[in-house]
Amino acid sequence: MDGDRVEIDGGIMEGGGQILRVSTALSCLLGLPLRVRRIRAGRSQPGLRPQHLSGLEIIRDLCEGKLEGGEIGSTEITFTPGKIKGGTHIADTKTAGSVCLLMQVAMPCVLFAASPSELHLKGGTNAEMAPQIDYTVMVFKPIVEKFNFTFNCDIKRRGYYPQGGGEVVIQMSPVKELSPINLTERGTVTKIYGRAFVAGALPIKVSADNSSGSIQ
């Protein structure tokens, strides 16, 4: 702690963006001012990248907070949160930066906002080193909704590296509290299937060829 401001070393453990996302979301939820230094110190290109900055900006806007050091390449930020108000907000990485990582930082906050929220998240829907939007909708969504909340994810457009250009719209209503869950039963596999997508100049035949083989 630095006075009333929590100090986070962004270079601990793997030194990636997850430390920044988690600490900023918790700062917003708990109403605690935050300083994160050595941001992404473990990466080959340290500091804020477009998707990290977009995540910080949407949290700032959600709670009418104050952000200092919010620029590409910055290795230190300070964040002073306000009250989480909800409403409609846009985060645009303008790259193929993952929209699912934008969801990671924003969703915990809008769960406890003063009003329902609609988030327009733009960037990559299927990016490397990040959850895929298909995983988010088909695996993450049904599991987290067991905690007694729901959200809608509308995939408006898919975006891939290097151009991005994808967009998803997330709609969520706030809750008073989350319910505990029990996930001790694995269940049984009922179906295995795959999906293939193509983008840019690739012909649809590529997708058909990839999906015509059998799963061994």
Side-chain angles (χ1 to χ4, degrees):
M1 299 285 287
D2 178 15
D4 293 330
R5 192 175 296 276
V6 178
E7 292 268 356
I8 298 293
D9 181 354
I12 61 173
M13 299 178 71
E14 68 166 350
Q18 194 67 22
I19 300 169
L20 178 70
R21 284 187 288 273
V22 172
S23 58
T24 307
L26 289 174
S27 168
C28 183
L29 285 167
L30 299 174
L32 291 174
L34 172 74
R35 175 181 287 109
V36 185
R37 55 187 180 83
R38 298 207 316 136
I39 294 171
R40 300 181 67 250
R43 296 294 188 251
S44 59
Q45 199 171 9
L48 296 177
R49 304 306 302 151
Q51 72 181 33
H52 308 104
L53 179 56
S54 296
L56 291 172
E57 290 173 340
I58 197 170
I59 292 297
R60 177 199 62 196
D61 296 343
L62 275 167
C63 68
E64 295 183 328
K66 182 179 180 181
L67 174 66
E68 298 178 12
E71 57 190 40
I72 302 299
S74 175
T75 57
E76 181 173 320
I77 61 101
T78 59
F79 176 64
T80 305
K83 183 179 179 180
I84 310 173
K85 62 180 182 178
T88 300
H89 299 277
I90 299 173
D92 187 356
T93 68
K94 295 182 173 61
T95 68
S98 172
V99 298
C100 297
L101 295 182
L102 294 177
M103 290 172 61
Q104 280 190 0
V105 68
M107 284 183 63
C109 302
V110 299
L111 264 180
F112 297 96
S115 63
S117 301
E118 183 172 286
L119 308 178
H120 295 249
L121 310 177
K122 301 179 181 182
T125 57
N126 300 82
E128 287 188 332
M129 304 298 290
Q132 307 294 292
I133 192 62
D134 308 275
Y135 172 88
T136 299
V137 171
M138 301 173 69
V139 179
F140 175 78
K141 184 177 187 294
I143 290 179
V144 298
E145 286 184 341
K146 294 179 182 292
F147 288 93
N148 197 31
F149 74 92
T150 61
F151 73 92
N152 182 62
C153 179
D154 184 7
I155 304 172
K156 296 293 188 182
R157 177 183 172 90
R158 289 178 178 267
Y160 302 92
Y161 179 85
Q163 292 185 333
E167 180 180 4
V168 301
V169 177
I170 307 295
Q171 295 173 320
M172 293 183 65
S173 293
V175 297
K176 294 295 184 182
E177 61 182 14
L178 298 176
S179 300
I181 65 173
N182 186 337
L183 282 180
T184 58
E185 298 297 327
R186 178 177 295 182
T188 58
V189 177
T190 59
K191 180 189 288 186
I192 297 176
Y193 65 96
R195 294 178 176 177
F197 299 91
V198 294
L202 291 175
I204 192 66
K205 181 178 183 298
V206 175
S207 176
D209 290 345
N210 285 334
S211 59
S212 63
S214 60
I215 298 176
Q216 301 297 325

